[in-house]
Amino acid sequence: SFALKHIESEERLHYLASLLYFFHAWPRLVYLFAPLSFLIFSFNPIVAKPIVLVMYFLPHYLLAHITFGFISREYRHPFWSDVYETASAFMLGKTIFATLFSPHRLIFKVTPKGREAQNSGTAERIRWHEVLPHMVLLGLLIAGIIVATYRMATTGMRVDAYFISMFWTVFNVILLGNAIEVARERPQQRGNYRISRGIRCRLSFWGQTHEGLTEDLSQCGTSVSIETQEHLPRRLTVELFSDFGERTELEGEISRNDWKEDGTSNLGI
């Protein structure tokens, strides 16, 4: 009974975390706008000595990166998580605000993938209405850098506050620039989105086996490299092995068999 209650409490915490996650937009917006208070209005949003700020911030930053890298197995990077939050901050912040006051008006929609996400033929396009707030804020930050630098050179100001704010602002400019760039929608030629993953696998056919490594995977196929060159049957069994011992077995059909100059083969299955 105690174990069951413990599991139920843990599930509640997981559900709570999944709900609170979407509120990241509001703190991110505060983080993006905060340097402007000093650059333009000379009001320092952080009242602390630089050494104290570094002593608090640096251990947290390094430990968060190390932990994130360990958990994500290096498939994700904290910087791109910052870019993701920056890219979605304005739209998500608006949606969260509307949902709190009218929770029944919004309906969950599955995000389209692959060719379904393509709405304009084969041409690239930018969703200007979604990145206009980012572009306006980017312009304000650049203007703030110019104003603060001019004020620093002519009238003077606290040097430590100036450099901290400049570092903060430049990092925000980089995040906003990347957020605007990812809004440039490229045409999707594949029916299913493909991700690059190196997963250990085994190919089985006619009582034979070959060890291999995936180069990428999608919902309907994978590209596999093996250390041999030979003619293979059209149908075979593919076993995928995770780093944590999980095994997945699928029936596959070879669509291509490319022999490389180094004696290996690349299979499309």
Side-chain angles (χ1 to χ4, degrees):
S1 176
F2 174 79
L4 183 59
K5 290 182 179 179
H6 177 74
I7 294 175
E8 290 177 350
S9 300
E10 190 172 306
E11 286 180 347
R12 290 192 181 97
L13 286 175
H14 283 300
Y15 281 120
L16 178 63
S18 65
L19 291 173
L20 294 179
Y21 166 77
F22 294 98
F23 286 88
H24 73 74
W26 291 349
R28 176 60 61 174
L29 289 175
V30 173
Y31 178 87
L32 292 172
F33 277 95
L36 290 174
S37 65
F38 179 80
L39 297 178
I40 296 179
F41 303 107
S42 298
F43 176 78
N44 194 357
I46 300 178
V47 181
K49 294 181 179 180
I51 185 63
V52 175
L53 184 62
V54 170
M55 289 176 63
Y56 275 94
F57 174 75
L58 194 59
H60 159 74
Y61 187 79
L62 293 177
L63 184 60
H65 274 62
I66 293 173
T67 306
F68 193 98
F70 176 77
I71 294 175
S72 66
R73 311 290 292 180
E74 303 298 333
Y75 286 126
R76 296 185 62 188
H77 193 277
F79 172 76
W80 294 113
S81 294
D82 289 338
V83 171
Y84 166 78
E85 291 187 1
T86 302
S88 61
F90 286 97
M91 295 293 292
L92 188 57
K94 174 184 175 183
T95 302
I96 289 295
F97 186 82
T99 304
L100 289 176
F101 290 95
S102 302
H104 302 294
R105 292 180 59 185
L106 296 176
I107 301 174
F108 175 78
K109 296 180 181 180
V110 178
T111 306
K113 308 294 191 301
R115 290 178 182 172
E116 295 180 5
Q118 187 173 318
N119 299 318
S120 59
T122 58
E124 292 185 354
R125 67 190 183 109
I126 297 180
R127 298 176 178 269
W128 294 107
H129 68 286
E130 294 182 1
V131 295
L132 182 59
H134 300 79
M135 299 176 72
V136 172
L137 178 55
L138 180 62
L140 289 174
L141 290 175
I142 294 175
I145 292 175
I146 297 173
V147 170
T149 302
Y150 174 77
R151 190 183 298 123
M152 178 71 182
T154 55
T155 61
M157 62 174 62
R158 289 186 56 183
V159 177
D160 53 355
Y162 170 78
F163 281 108
I164 290 175
S165 297
M166 290 296 289
F167 174 80
W168 190 353
T169 304
V170 169
F171 185 68
N172 284 352
V173 167
I174 294 173
L175 293 179
L176 287 166
N178 280 276
I180 294 171
E181 167 61 20
V182 298
R184 183 162 58 90
E185 189 174 355
R186 297 166 179 81
Q188 299 289 338
Q189 303 297 336
R190 301 185 183 277
N192 294 279
Y193 187 75
R194 181 170 296 195
I195 57 175
S196 298
R197 289 291 185 272
I199 298 177
R200 188 170 58 88
C201 63
R202 178 184 298 137
L203 309 180
S204 304
F205 57 92
W206 299 342
Q208 303 180 41
T209 59
H210 284 296
E211 302 294 326
L213 190 69
T214 67
E215 294 185 354
D216 52 53
L217 301 100
S218 72
Q219 188 175 353
C220 63
T222 180
S223 177
V224 177
S225 292
I226 58 175
E227 300 292 329
T228 185
Q229 292 181 347
E230 61 179 273
H231 295 285
L232 302 175
R234 188 170 183 81
R235 294 185 176 276
L236 73 175
T237 301
V238 182
E239 293 179 271
L240 301 173
F241 303 93
S242 75
D243 295 336
F244 305 99
E246 184 180 355
R247 183 180 69 88
T248 301
E249 183 176 305
L250 300 167
E251 296 299 319
E253 181 176 305
I254 295 180
S255 60
R256 60 174 174 81
N257 185 354
D258 298 332
W259 293 5
K260 297 184 178 181
E261 295 181 355
D262 58 359
T264 63
S265 298
N266 182 266
L267 307 175
I269 304 177

